[in-house]
Amino acid sequence: MKNIYVNRPLLPPLEEFVPYLEKVWDNKWLTNNGPFHQQFEQQLADYLGVKYISVFSNGTLALLTALQVLRITGEVITTPYSFVATSHTLLWNGLTPVFADIDPKTCNINPEKIEQLITSATSAILPVHCYGIPADVERIQQIADIYGLKVIYDAAHAFGVKKEGVSILNHGDLSILSFHATKVFNTIEGGAIICPDEKTKKRIDYLKNFGFTDEVTVVAPGINGKMNEVQSAFGLLQLQYIDKALELRKSISERYCNALSDVEGIRIVDVPDNVEWNYAYFPIFIDNRYPCSRDALYNKMKAAGVFARRYFYPLISDFPMYKMHKRGDISESVSIANSVLCIPIYPDLEIEEQEKIISLIKNATAGDD
Ligand code: T4K
């Protein structure tokens, strides 16, 4: 059996992409707000059920820019349990990350831990919808309103996720998405900022194009975050396949739930009933009732050609450049990071491959340690 990775990218049929490329060649318009870029933004906004979207060349540049759009300063309260890009964008903006603990049930920032970290330097909260599971958007907004803070969601994992039938991307001041190859929806590399009004969208568009508002006027030290025409065309085609991909992810997730929910020492992620999830990741959490350690299972799977990943271990706050930023008690984050294993989930995962993964998990023994 071939190697099984935690992720494999969603790819449309190659022959269907060729006509898009032919159009790019005909237009000789390769980037800078070309026709596919405009069409993609429109169709994406419709698909996601959001008002305004600005697409970027990747999610990290989208997040870097989002912080500039709102002129965030000083300290930003965020989660240590995420991909390192979340906090890196703070450091790149000269901001100070302040880490709040997570709720172990959702793996998202625990709103009850935020208030105690607010100081006169705090200007924003940067939560993550980890694994595509919504953060507690209502409570976070309440806190932000009381203290006059901005909220930017790192929604890199949350493509297509809805709560009470409404896109999760409509919460906070801004949200960002990632369309990296490993994400539910990809444009090879790519990302976006979602915003609620036209004037903010305009400002985002200036900032992702060096700050130009016209040929001769620069209003801010912008960056080059533009998505090109080939990526945008790829995204347009991907939109035709995303619903099918989400259905396949759902059935894989259900099979895992059925097979693993009774395994002693393993906890499966808990998604509330009012959430339409996107099955972006399938994390399992291993406690000391399981026959072997998380790392022993990870190594055993690896030896059998199954490349699960410990997303998100180590915690961001444990990387050298963040050690000085550690604040408060983050013990829930520590314990989740030490117990998590994300097992493979992607639309093309075959049933036999899934059975192999399940059997490796079910048949671990104390001798595997
Ligand atoms: N915020 C959050 C919360 C994020 O999770 C991320 C990115 C960002 C912000 C930043 O967004 P971007 O700037 O990336 O748009 C991956 C991704 O590179 C990263 O996008 C993602 N989060 C993170 C969670 O995962 P790695 O280093 O673990 O990926 P890698 O290359 O080891 O790939 C994982 C597996 O996927 C491979 O073992 C095989 C498979 N794979 C990967 C690629 C790239 C393929 O089959 N084909 C491929 O082309 O970071």
Side-chain angles (χ1 to χ4, degrees):
M1 207 182 257
K2 55 187 194 298
N3 284 341
I4 307 172
Y5 297 100
V6 68
N7 245 309
R8 299 253 80 186
L10 175 66
L11 281 167
L14 182 56
E15 63 280 9
E16 290 186 23
F17 191 43
V18 174
Y20 286 85
L21 292 177
E22 286 169 350
K23 271 206 179 134
V24 175
W25 259 245
D26 285 349
N27 289 340
K28 294 198 174 11
W29 198 286
L30 304 184
T31 185
N32 289 12
N33 200 25
F36 280 134
H37 179 284
Q38 291 175 29
Q39 227 181 310
F40 184 41
E41 285 193 344
Q42 190 55 58
Q43 288 195 22
L44 250 185
D46 292 347
Y47 179 85
L48 293 169
V50 300
K51 280 209 175 122
Y52 294 94
I53 191 160
S54 180
V55 293
F56 276 72
S57 46
N58 62 61
T60 303
L61 278 168
L63 190 47
L64 269 179
T65 307
L67 294 158
Q68 289 278 329
V69 170
L70 299 176
R71 290 179 167 270
I72 303 301
T73 57
E75 297 180 1
V76 176
I77 298 176
T78 189
T79 167
Y81 190 78
S82 181
F83 189 59
V84 75
T86 307
S87 284
H88 276 1
T89 60
L90 297 175
L91 292 194
W92 271 65
N93 272 299
L95 302 166
T96 303
V98 176
F99 296 111
D101 210 359
I102 58 166
D103 174 346
K105 258 203 188 151
T106 61
C107 298
N108 288 320
I109 197 164
N110 181 345
E112 304 318 318
K113 306 285 175 169
I114 293 176
E115 265 179 296
Q116 65 208 56
L117 297 169
I118 296 173
T119 70
S120 55
T122 311
S123 65
I125 308 171
L126 172 58
V128 177
H129 301 301
C130 194
Y131 308 130
I133 300 168
D136 187 345
V137 288
E138 289 82 13
R139 184 75 189 106
I140 291 169
Q141 195 58 54
Q142 271 174 3
I143 297 168
D145 289 344
I146 292 169
Y147 291 90
L149 305 176
K150 300 286 186 197
V151 183
I152 299 176
Y153 282 102
D154 180 342
H157 305 167
F159 186 95
V161 174
K162 292 182 180 155
K163 189 173 173 188
E164 309 280 4
V166 176
S167 172
I168 199 68
L169 303 170
N170 287 321
H171 290 275
D173 294 280
L174 297 173
S175 292
I176 72 97
L177 282 169
S178 164
F179 307 143
H180 182 260
T182 54
K183 296 294 187 290
V184 164
F185 176 90
N186 83 80
T187 56
I188 305 174
E189 293 270 2
I193 303 181
I194 291 85
C195 69
D197 56 73
E198 199 176 354
K199 68 177 195 305
T200 310
K201 154 88 171 139
K202 271 198 177 145
R203 180 161 158 77
I204 297 166
D205 288 346
Y206 301 151
L207 281 170
K208 80 173 177 190
N209 186 28
F210 311 100
F212 278 108
T213 57
D214 61 38
E215 272 182 44
V216 292
T217 316
V218 173
V219 292
I223 202 161
N224 182 357
K226 292 167 274 124
M227 179 178 275
N228 66 50
E229 285 293 277
V230 176
Q231 281 174 289
S232 304
F234 191 81
L236 275 170
L237 182 55
Q238 292 283 61
L239 278 177
Q240 295 177 25
Y241 290 93
I242 185 63
D243 284 340
K244 179 76 191 152
L246 289 169
E247 269 171 41
L248 290 166
R249 281 181 175 274
K250 182 175 187 205
S251 56
I252 292 163
S253 173
E254 283 171 356
R255 238 178 278 131
Y256 275 141
C257 287
N258 292 336
L260 299 176
S261 51
D262 291 337
V263 178
E264 177 148 60
I266 287 194
R267 179 170 71 83
I268 284 169
V269 76
D270 194 9
V271 182
D273 289 342
N274 61 356
V275 170
E276 275 171 61
W277 193 29
N278 62 4
Y279 315 92
Y281 293 84
F282 199 94
I284 59 175
F285 306 94
I286 291 155
D287 67 35
N288 52 18
R289 290 169 306 147
Y290 190 71
C292 68
S293 68
R294 183 274 308 269
D295 287 349
L297 176 61
Y298 164 82
N299 285 323
K300 178 186 156 168
M301 291 175 88
K302 204 168 172 179
V306 178
F307 295 84
R309 291 292 288 268
R310 291 163 289 186
Y311 295 134
F312 289 101
Y313 163 87
L315 290 175
I316 298 176
S317 45
D318 281 339
F319 291 119
M321 64 297 289
Y322 294 103
K323 284 204 165 145
M324 64 188 276
H325 295 297
K326 210 180 273 185
R327 292 239 198 123
D329 168 24
I330 52 165
S331 52
E332 298 288 6
S333 308
V334 171
S335 110
I336 290 293
N338 288 335
S339 66
V340 70
L341 193 62
C342 285
I343 59 177
I345 185 165
Y346 49 87
D348 293 339
L349 186 68
E350 288 162 18
I351 291 192
E352 307 78 66
E353 293 175 319
Q354 209 183 349
E355 274 163 5
K356 174 175 171 173
I357 297 161
I358 291 166
S359 145
L360 282 162
I361 296 170
K362 281 187 151 175
N363 295 317
T365 64
D368 291 320
D369 251 326

Short mmCIF file of all heavy atoms in Angstrom, two decimals, residues 5-9 57-61 63 82-86 128-130 154-157 176-183 188-191 281 307 309 311-312, ligand 1:
data_model
loop_
_atom_site.label_atom_id
_atom_site.label_comp_id
_atom_site.label_asym_id
_atom_site.label_seq_id
_atom_site.Cartn_x
_atom_site.Cartn_y
_atom_site.Cartn_z
N TYR A 5 -0.76 10.17 3.70
CA TYR A 5 -0.40 11.42 4.36
C TYR A 5 -1.60 12.02 5.09
O TYR A 5 -2.74 11.67 4.81
CB TYR A 5 0.14 12.42 3.32
CG TYR A 5 1.41 11.89 2.67
CD1 TYR A 5 1.37 11.29 1.41
CD2 TYR A 5 2.62 11.96 3.34
CE1 TYR A 5 2.52 10.77 0.84
CE2 TYR A 5 3.78 11.45 2.78
CZ TYR A 5 3.72 10.85 1.53
OH TYR A 5 4.86 10.33 0.97
N VAL A 6 -1.31 12.94 5.99
CA VAL A 6 -2.39 13.57 6.77
C VAL A 6 -3.36 14.29 5.85
O VAL A 6 -4.56 14.41 6.13
CB VAL A 6 -1.79 14.51 7.84
CG1 VAL A 6 -1.12 15.74 7.22
CG2 VAL A 6 -2.82 14.91 8.86
N ASN A 7 -2.86 14.72 4.72
CA ASN A 7 -3.60 15.55 3.79
C ASN A 7 -3.21 15.24 2.36
O ASN A 7 -2.03 14.93 2.13
CB ASN A 7 -3.18 17.00 4.02
CG ASN A 7 -4.31 17.82 4.54
OD1 ASN A 7 -5.39 17.80 3.95
ND2 ASN A 7 -4.06 18.52 5.62
N ARG A 8 -4.10 15.38 1.42
CA ARG A 8 -3.75 15.39 0.00
C ARG A 8 -4.60 16.48 -0.63
O ARG A 8 -5.79 16.61 -0.32
CB ARG A 8 -4.07 14.05 -0.67
CG ARG A 8 -3.32 12.88 -0.08
CD ARG A 8 -2.21 12.37 -0.96
NE ARG A 8 -1.01 13.15 -0.91
CZ ARG A 8 0.04 12.92 -1.71
NH1 ARG A 8 -0.02 11.98 -2.63
NH2 ARG A 8 1.12 13.64 -1.60
N PRO A 9 -4.03 17.25 -1.54
CA PRO A 9 -4.80 18.39 -2.06
C PRO A 9 -5.96 17.98 -2.95
O PRO A 9 -5.87 16.99 -3.68
CB PRO A 9 -3.76 19.17 -2.86
CG PRO A 9 -2.58 18.29 -3.04
CD PRO A 9 -2.66 17.17 -2.05
N SER A 57 -2.29 36.14 -2.13
CA SER A 57 -1.42 35.07 -2.63
C SER A 57 -1.19 33.98 -1.58
O SER A 57 -0.80 32.87 -1.92
CB SER A 57 -0.10 35.64 -3.12
OG SER A 57 0.40 36.57 -2.20
N ASN A 58 -1.42 34.27 -0.32
CA ASN A 58 -1.44 33.21 0.70
C ASN A 58 -2.11 33.75 1.97
O ASN A 58 -2.34 34.96 2.10
CB ASN A 58 -0.05 32.62 0.99
CG ASN A 58 0.91 33.65 1.54
OD1 ASN A 58 0.68 34.23 2.60
ND2 ASN A 58 1.99 33.89 0.82
N GLY A 59 -2.39 32.85 2.90
CA GLY A 59 -3.11 33.22 4.11
C GLY A 59 -2.27 34.08 5.05
O GLY A 59 -2.80 34.94 5.76
N THR A 60 -0.97 33.84 5.07
CA THR A 60 -0.10 34.60 5.98
C THR A 60 -0.08 36.08 5.59
O THR A 60 -0.19 36.96 6.45
CB THR A 60 1.33 34.01 5.95
OG1 THR A 60 1.23 32.63 6.29
CG2 THR A 60 2.26 34.70 6.92
N LEU A 61 0.04 36.35 4.28
CA LEU A 61 0.01 37.75 3.83
C LEU A 61 -1.36 38.37 4.09
O LEU A 61 -1.46 39.57 4.39
CB LEU A 61 0.35 37.82 2.34
CG LEU A 61 1.85 37.79 2.04
CD1 LEU A 61 2.09 37.57 0.54
CD2 LEU A 61 2.52 39.07 2.49
N LEU A 63 -3.27 37.71 6.66
CA LEU A 63 -3.32 38.03 8.09
C LEU A 63 -2.40 39.22 8.43
O LEU A 63 -2.77 40.12 9.19
CB LEU A 63 -2.95 36.78 8.91
CG LEU A 63 -3.16 36.84 10.42
CD1 LEU A 63 -4.51 37.40 10.81
CD2 LEU A 63 -2.98 35.45 11.03
N SER A 82 -2.02 26.87 17.74
CA SER A 82 -2.32 27.15 16.33
C SER A 82 -1.06 26.89 15.53
O SER A 82 0.00 26.60 16.07
CB SER A 82 -2.76 28.61 16.18
OG SER A 82 -3.08 28.90 14.83
N PHE A 83 -1.20 27.04 14.22
CA PHE A 83 -0.03 27.02 13.35
C PHE A 83 0.76 28.31 13.62
O PHE A 83 0.16 29.36 13.90
CB PHE A 83 -0.47 26.95 11.89
CG PHE A 83 0.64 26.73 10.91
CD1 PHE A 83 1.44 25.60 10.99
CD2 PHE A 83 0.88 27.64 9.89
CE1 PHE A 83 2.47 25.39 10.07
CE2 PHE A 83 1.90 27.44 8.97
CZ PHE A 83 2.69 26.30 9.07
N VAL A 84 2.07 28.22 13.52
CA VAL A 84 2.92 29.32 13.97
C VAL A 84 2.68 30.63 13.20
O VAL A 84 2.95 31.72 13.72
CB VAL A 84 4.40 28.85 13.92
CG1 VAL A 84 4.91 28.80 12.49
CG2 VAL A 84 5.28 29.68 14.80
N ALA A 85 2.11 30.54 12.01
CA ALA A 85 1.85 31.75 11.22
C ALA A 85 0.94 32.72 11.96
O ALA A 85 1.07 33.95 11.79
CB ALA A 85 1.21 31.38 9.88
N THR A 86 0.04 32.21 12.79
CA THR A 86 -0.88 33.10 13.51
C THR A 86 -0.10 34.15 14.29
O THR A 86 -0.35 35.35 14.17
CB THR A 86 -1.77 32.27 14.48
OG1 THR A 86 -2.40 31.22 13.75
CG2 THR A 86 -2.83 33.14 15.14
N VAL A 128 -8.47 31.85 16.73
CA VAL A 128 -8.40 30.94 15.57
C VAL A 128 -9.63 30.03 15.66
O VAL A 128 -10.01 29.62 16.76
CB VAL A 128 -7.12 30.08 15.65
CG1 VAL A 128 -7.05 29.07 14.52
CG2 VAL A 128 -5.87 30.97 15.64
N HIS A 129 -10.27 29.74 14.52
CA HIS A 129 -11.30 28.69 14.51
C HIS A 129 -10.54 27.38 14.24
O HIS A 129 -10.45 26.92 13.10
CB HIS A 129 -12.33 28.93 13.41
CG HIS A 129 -13.07 30.23 13.52
ND1 HIS A 129 -13.82 30.56 14.62
CD2 HIS A 129 -13.20 31.27 12.64
CE1 HIS A 129 -14.38 31.76 14.42
NE2 HIS A 129 -14.01 32.20 13.23
N CYS A 130 -9.98 26.84 15.30
CA CYS A 130 -9.04 25.72 15.13
C CYS A 130 -9.74 24.49 14.55
O CYS A 130 -10.82 24.11 15.01
CB CYS A 130 -8.41 25.40 16.49
SG CYS A 130 -6.99 24.34 16.34
N ASP A 154 -8.46 34.39 12.73
CA ASP A 154 -7.66 33.54 11.85
C ASP A 154 -8.56 32.34 11.54
O ASP A 154 -8.67 31.40 12.33
CB ASP A 154 -6.36 33.10 12.55
CG ASP A 154 -5.51 32.21 11.65
OD1 ASP A 154 -6.06 31.67 10.67
OD2 ASP A 154 -4.31 32.04 11.93
N ALA A 155 -9.23 32.45 10.38
CA ALA A 155 -10.18 31.41 9.98
C ALA A 155 -9.56 30.54 8.89
O ALA A 155 -10.27 30.01 8.02
CB ALA A 155 -11.47 32.07 9.50
N ALA A 156 -8.22 30.40 8.95
CA ALA A 156 -7.49 29.65 7.91
C ALA A 156 -8.12 28.28 7.66
O ALA A 156 -8.12 27.78 6.54
CB ALA A 156 -6.03 29.49 8.33
N HIS A 157 -8.68 27.67 8.72
CA HIS A 157 -9.23 26.30 8.58
C HIS A 157 -10.73 26.30 8.30
O HIS A 157 -11.31 25.22 8.20
CB HIS A 157 -9.02 25.52 9.89
CG HIS A 157 -7.61 25.46 10.37
ND1 HIS A 157 -7.25 25.03 11.63
CD2 HIS A 157 -6.45 25.75 9.75
CE1 HIS A 157 -5.96 25.08 11.78
NE2 HIS A 157 -5.44 25.53 10.66
N ILE A 176 -9.66 35.97 8.18
CA ILE A 176 -8.80 35.58 7.06
C ILE A 176 -8.93 34.08 6.80
O ILE A 176 -9.16 33.29 7.71
CB ILE A 176 -7.31 35.96 7.26
CG1 ILE A 176 -6.62 35.07 8.31
CG2 ILE A 176 -7.13 37.43 7.60
CD1 ILE A 176 -5.84 33.92 7.73
N LEU A 177 -8.78 33.73 5.52
CA LEU A 177 -8.80 32.31 5.12
C LEU A 177 -7.45 31.94 4.51
O LEU A 177 -6.74 32.82 3.99
CB LEU A 177 -9.86 32.09 4.03
CG LEU A 177 -11.32 32.00 4.43
CD1 LEU A 177 -12.21 32.06 3.19
CD2 LEU A 177 -11.60 30.71 5.22
N SER A 178 -7.14 30.65 4.54
CA SER A 178 -5.99 30.14 3.78
C SER A 178 -6.51 29.18 2.72
O SER A 178 -7.38 28.35 2.99
CB SER A 178 -5.04 29.38 4.70
OG SER A 178 -4.15 28.58 3.93
N PHE A 179 -5.97 29.32 1.51
CA PHE A 179 -6.28 28.36 0.43
C PHE A 179 -5.01 27.57 0.09
O PHE A 179 -4.73 27.31 -1.08
CB PHE A 179 -6.78 29.08 -0.83
CG PHE A 179 -7.93 30.03 -0.60
CD1 PHE A 179 -8.01 31.23 -1.32
CD2 PHE A 179 -8.96 29.73 0.28
CE1 PHE A 179 -9.06 32.11 -1.14
CE2 PHE A 179 -10.02 30.61 0.47
CZ PHE A 179 -10.07 31.80 -0.24
N HIS A 180 -4.22 27.26 1.11
CA HIS A 180 -3.01 26.45 0.88
C HIS A 180 -3.40 25.05 0.41
O HIS A 180 -4.50 24.56 0.71
CB HIS A 180 -2.21 26.37 2.19
CG HIS A 180 -0.94 25.60 2.05
ND1 HIS A 180 -0.82 24.29 2.45
CD2 HIS A 180 0.27 25.95 1.53
CE1 HIS A 180 0.41 23.87 2.19
NE2 HIS A 180 1.09 24.86 1.64
N ALA A 181 -2.48 24.40 -0.30
CA ALA A 181 -2.71 23.06 -0.85
C ALA A 181 -3.30 22.08 0.17
O ALA A 181 -4.06 21.18 -0.21
CB ALA A 181 -1.39 22.51 -1.38
N THR A 182 -2.96 22.24 1.44
CA THR A 182 -3.40 21.28 2.45
C THR A 182 -4.78 21.63 3.03
O THR A 182 -5.26 20.94 3.94
CB THR A 182 -2.40 21.23 3.62
OG1 THR A 182 -2.21 22.58 4.10
CG2 THR A 182 -1.05 20.68 3.18
N LYS A 183 -5.40 22.69 2.55
CA LYS A 183 -6.67 23.13 3.12
C LYS A 183 -7.86 22.50 2.38
O LYS A 183 -7.71 22.02 1.25
CB LYS A 183 -6.76 24.66 3.06
CG LYS A 183 -5.70 25.35 3.92
CD LYS A 183 -5.92 25.08 5.39
CE LYS A 183 -5.00 25.86 6.31
NZ LYS A 183 -3.60 25.44 6.27
N ILE A 188 -3.70 26.27 -4.64
CA ILE A 188 -2.29 25.87 -4.53
C ILE A 188 -1.68 26.60 -3.32
O ILE A 188 -1.44 25.98 -2.31
CB ILE A 188 -1.49 26.13 -5.82
CG1 ILE A 188 -2.22 25.41 -6.99
CG2 ILE A 188 -0.04 25.65 -5.68
CD1 ILE A 188 -1.66 25.68 -8.35
N GLU A 189 -1.38 27.87 -3.45
CA GLU A 189 -1.20 28.78 -2.33
C GLU A 189 -2.32 29.80 -2.47
O GLU A 189 -2.79 30.05 -3.58
CB GLU A 189 0.14 29.52 -2.41
CG GLU A 189 1.38 28.67 -2.23
CD GLU A 189 1.85 28.56 -0.79
OE1 GLU A 189 1.19 29.09 0.12
OE2 GLU A 189 2.89 27.91 -0.58
N GLY A 190 -2.72 30.41 -1.40
CA GLY A 190 -3.75 31.44 -1.53
C GLY A 190 -4.36 31.77 -0.19
O GLY A 190 -4.14 31.07 0.80
N GLY A 191 -5.08 32.87 -0.17
CA GLY A 191 -5.75 33.27 1.06
C GLY A 191 -6.71 34.40 0.78
O GLY A 191 -6.87 34.82 -0.38
N TYR A 281 -9.90 18.78 9.57
CA TYR A 281 -8.89 17.91 10.20
C TYR A 281 -9.65 16.87 11.01
O TYR A 281 -10.82 17.08 11.36
CB TYR A 281 -8.01 18.73 11.16
CG TYR A 281 -7.13 19.74 10.45
CD1 TYR A 281 -7.62 21.00 10.09
CD2 TYR A 281 -5.81 19.44 10.11
CE1 TYR A 281 -6.83 21.93 9.43
CE2 TYR A 281 -5.01 20.37 9.45
CZ TYR A 281 -5.52 21.60 9.11
OH TYR A 281 -4.73 22.51 8.45
N PHE A 307 1.30 8.83 7.72
CA PHE A 307 1.95 10.04 8.24
C PHE A 307 0.93 10.98 8.89
O PHE A 307 0.50 11.96 8.29
CB PHE A 307 2.75 10.72 7.13
CG PHE A 307 3.90 9.86 6.67
CD1 PHE A 307 3.72 8.86 5.72
CD2 PHE A 307 5.16 10.02 7.25
CE1 PHE A 307 4.78 8.04 5.32
CE2 PHE A 307 6.21 9.20 6.86
CZ PHE A 307 6.02 8.20 5.90
N ARG A 309 -0.11 13.75 11.84
CA ARG A 309 0.66 14.93 12.28
C ARG A 309 0.18 15.41 13.63
O ARG A 309 -0.99 15.29 13.96
CB ARG A 309 0.53 16.05 11.24
CG ARG A 309 1.21 15.76 9.92
CD ARG A 309 2.73 15.71 10.03
NE ARG A 309 3.29 17.03 10.23
CZ ARG A 309 3.69 17.82 9.25
NH1 ARG A 309 3.66 17.42 7.99
NH2 ARG A 309 4.18 19.01 9.51
N TYR A 311 -0.61 18.29 14.89
CA TYR A 311 -1.08 19.68 14.83
C TYR A 311 -1.90 19.96 16.06
O TYR A 311 -2.95 19.32 16.23
CB TYR A 311 -1.94 19.93 13.60
CG TYR A 311 -1.27 19.80 12.26
CD1 TYR A 311 -1.88 19.10 11.22
CD2 TYR A 311 -0.03 20.40 12.00
CE1 TYR A 311 -1.29 19.00 9.97
CE2 TYR A 311 0.57 20.29 10.75
CZ TYR A 311 -0.06 19.59 9.74
OH TYR A 311 0.52 19.50 8.51
N PHE A 312 -1.50 20.80 17.06
CA PHE A 312 -0.46 21.79 17.00
C PHE A 312 0.47 21.62 18.18
O PHE A 312 0.24 22.16 19.26
CB PHE A 312 -1.07 23.18 16.97
CG PHE A 312 -1.75 23.44 15.65
CD1 PHE A 312 -3.12 23.34 15.53
CD2 PHE A 312 -1.00 23.70 14.51
CE1 PHE A 312 -3.72 23.55 14.29
CE2 PHE A 312 -1.61 23.92 13.27
CZ PHE A 312 -2.98 23.83 13.17
N1 T4K B 1 -3.21 30.26 10.27
C1 T4K B 1 -3.43 28.97 10.50
C2 T4K B 1 -4.28 28.58 11.66
C3 T4K B 1 -2.89 27.99 9.65
O1 T4K B 1 -3.09 26.69 9.89
C4 T4K B 1 -2.11 28.40 8.55
C5 T4K B 1 -1.49 27.43 7.68
C6 T4K B 1 -1.94 29.79 8.34
C7 T4K B 1 -2.50 30.69 9.23
C8 T4K B 1 -1.13 30.32 7.19
O2 T4K B 1 -1.77 30.13 5.94
P1 T4K B 1 -0.87 29.97 4.59
O3 T4K B 1 0.08 31.13 4.55
O4 T4K B 1 -0.16 28.64 4.64
O5 T4K B 1 -1.89 30.04 3.48
C9 T4K B 1 0.89 23.09 6.54
C10 T4K B 1 0.64 24.24 5.60
O6 T4K B 1 1.80 24.64 4.89
C11 T4K B 1 0.01 25.43 6.24
O7 T4K B 1 -0.65 26.13 5.20
C12 T4K B 1 -1.02 25.05 7.28
N2 T4K B 1 -1.53 26.19 7.99
C13 T4K B 1 -0.45 24.07 8.27
C14 T4K B 1 -1.44 23.64 9.30
O8 T4K B 1 -0.04 22.91 7.57
P2 T4K B 1 3.08 21.75 7.09
O9 T4K B 1 4.48 22.22 7.16
O10 T4K B 1 2.57 20.87 8.14
O11 T4K B 1 2.74 21.12 5.65
P3 T4K B 1 3.45 19.92 4.88
O12 T4K B 1 4.15 20.46 3.69
O13 T4K B 1 4.21 19.08 5.83
O14 T4K B 1 2.16 19.12 4.34
C15 T4K B 1 1.43 18.22 5.13
C16 T4K B 1 1.12 16.98 4.31
O15 T4K B 1 0.26 17.30 3.25
C17 T4K B 1 2.34 16.34 3.66
O16 T4K B 1 2.89 15.39 4.51
C18 T4K B 1 1.79 15.71 2.41
C19 T4K B 1 0.59 16.54 2.08
N3 T4K B 1 0.83 17.45 0.95
C20 T4K B 1 1.35 18.70 1.19
C21 T4K B 1 1.56 19.57 0.15
C22 T4K B 1 2.11 20.94 0.39
C23 T4K B 1 0.53 17.05 -0.32
O17 T4K B 1 0.07 15.91 -0.51
N4 T4K B 1 0.71 17.91 -1.37
C24 T4K B 1 1.21 19.16 -1.18
O18 T4K B 1 1.33 19.91 -2.16
O19 T4K B 1 2.20 23.09 7.03
#
